[in-house]
């Protein structure tokens, strides 16, 4: 629990920086688009200069937002409500969970977290002598991704049919690493399944921390690139019309 809390705090602290940067960038872009660019456009047009297509597109977009702001807000609210309802449905949870697992960086973090959690909780049940078949319902509720939650139901069903844990998990190779399956198979033969699962959990937790550190290290340069791209776009929309007007004088 302490490790999970530490990881959660690291993720929350890491998200503060990009949220602040993106919010500031959006605020600056909105201010310049609404207050500065229209005046430059009027000035340039009064001088008889033809404006670049991207400047005209930006002005048209800003004019549309300014004129029909209530419709834009209504559409955004409807989309958010529809997405929230979809995300709460069982089908939506599974589709979104599969999508998350396929995302670069985020998918790896999600998989490692659920694999570590799976091994940690299941290992605890084995060590304390809890009935394994019935414990899979509790195990499923402790996982964050619906794909892994559903795998627990299928594994439980195979266990009730008499399969070993390694055989049951072996049919879920798409989401559980082969090394986990091999180690579980060996541990079942030696009778040290609980301690083996505990060591697997420690291994995946360490991998998760390393992956998280790598992601956090990438956040700052990515944010700088996004900020630079946004500033460049605004600069092109503002500087080019001014340059055309001044060069014609």
């Amino acid at each position: 629990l302490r490790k999970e809390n530490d990881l959660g705090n690291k993720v929350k602290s890491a998200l503060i920086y990009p949220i602040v940067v993106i919010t500031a960038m959006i605020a600056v872009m909105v201010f310049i688009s609404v207050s500065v660019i229209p005046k430059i456009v009027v000035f340039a047009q009064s001088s008889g200069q033809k404006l670049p297509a991207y400047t005209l597109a930006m002005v048209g977009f800003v004019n549309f937002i300014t004129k029909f702001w209530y419709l834009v807000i209504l559409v955004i609210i409807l989309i958010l409500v529809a997405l929230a309802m979809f995300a709460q449905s069982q089908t939506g949870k599974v589709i979104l969970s599969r999508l998350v697992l396929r995302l670069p960086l985020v998918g790896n973090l999600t998989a490692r977290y659920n694999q570590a959690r799976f091994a940690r909780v299941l290992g605890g049940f084995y060590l304390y002598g809890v009935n394994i078949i019935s414990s899979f319902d509790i195990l499923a509720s402790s996982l964050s991704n619906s794909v892994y939650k559903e795998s627990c139901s299928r594994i439980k069903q195979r266990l009730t049919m008499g399969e070993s844990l390694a055989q049951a998990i072996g049919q879920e190779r798409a989401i559980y690493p082969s090394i986990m399956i091999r180690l579980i198979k060996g541990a079942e033969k030696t009778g040290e399944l609980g301690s083996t699962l505990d060591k697997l959990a420690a291994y995946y937790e360490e991998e998760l921390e390393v992956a998280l550190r790598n992601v956090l290290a990438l956040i700052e340069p990515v944010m700088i690139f996004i900020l630079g791209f946004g500033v460049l776009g605004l600069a092109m929309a503002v500087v080019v019309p001014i340059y055309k007007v001044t060069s014609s004088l």
Side-chain angles (χ1 to χ4, degrees):
L1 290 176
R2 182 174 57 82
K3 282 190 175 182
E4 288 183 12
N5 187 52
D6 290 341
L7 288 172
N9 290 334
K10 288 179 181 178
V11 172
K12 289 176 183 177
S13 62
L15 289 177
I16 292 175
Y17 175 73
I19 289 173
V20 170
V21 171
I22 291 174
T23 303
M25 184 178 70
I26 292 174
V28 171
M29 291 179 69
V30 169
F31 173 77
I32 294 176
S33 299
V34 173
S35 302
V36 179
I37 293 180
K39 295 178 182 179
I40 294 175
V41 169
V42 172
F43 176 65
Q45 289 177 338
S46 64
S47 303
Q49 295 296 320
K50 185 178 180 181
L51 296 173
Y54 49 82
T55 302
L56 292 175
M58 182 177 290
V59 172
F61 178 73
V62 171
N63 289 337
F64 176 82
I65 297 295
T66 305
K67 188 175 181 180
F68 301 103
W69 60 268
Y70 50 91
L71 291 178
V72 174
I73 293 176
L74 179 61
V75 170
I76 292 174
I77 292 174
L78 291 175
I79 291 174
L80 291 176
V81 171
L83 287 175
M85 293 176 64
F86 177 72
Q88 291 299 318
S89 66
Q90 186 59 35
T91 303
K93 288 179 181 178
V94 173
I95 292 175
L96 291 176
S97 294
R98 289 175 179 170
L99 178 62
V100 167
L101 290 174
R102 292 177 182 176
L103 292 175
L105 300 178
V106 177
N108 183 51
L109 289 175
T110 303
R112 284 293 176 262
Y113 172 81
N114 283 274
Q115 290 160 8
R117 185 69 173 163
F118 178 92
R120 178 69 68 191
V121 175
L122 188 59
F125 288 146
Y126 268 99
L127 288 173
Y128 291 104
V130 180
N131 183 275
I132 298 305
I133 295 178
S134 60
S135 67
F136 265 87
D137 294 329
I138 304 173
L139 176 57
S141 64
S142 70
L143 302 178
S144 64
N145 189 278
S146 293
V147 173
Y148 283 89
K149 288 177 182 286
E150 289 191 344
S151 73
C152 289
S153 299
R154 294 190 295 269
I155 292 171
K156 176 184 176 181
Q157 186 176 5
R158 295 182 191 118
L159 291 174
T160 58
M161 297 294 290
E163 293 186 13
S164 67
L165 181 62
Q167 290 173 331
I169 299 178
Q171 298 182 50
E172 304 289 338
R173 291 180 181 275
I175 57 176
Y176 294 103
S178 57
I179 186 174
M180 173 186 279
I181 300 168
R182 291 197 301 269
L183 288 174
I184 289 175
K185 185 176 181 179
E188 284 180 315
K189 294 179 181 179
T190 60
E192 297 180 354
L193 190 53
S195 60
T196 299
L197 286 169
D198 215 36
K199 291 175 183 178
L200 270 172
Y203 171 73
Y204 287 128
E205 285 167 356
E206 185 177 347
E207 276 203 344
L208 177 61
E209 289 191 18
V210 172
L212 182 59
R213 284 197 297 269
N214 292 336
V215 171
L216 297 183
L218 286 173
I219 286 179
E220 186 170 353
V222 169
M223 287 297 101
I224 292 174
F225 174 79
I226 293 174
L227 183 61
F229 187 77
V231 170
L232 177 63
L234 282 176
M236 292 295 291
V238 174
V239 173
V240 172
I242 295 177
Y243 175 76
K244 284 194 171 184
V245 172
T246 54
S247 62
S248 64
L249 296 179

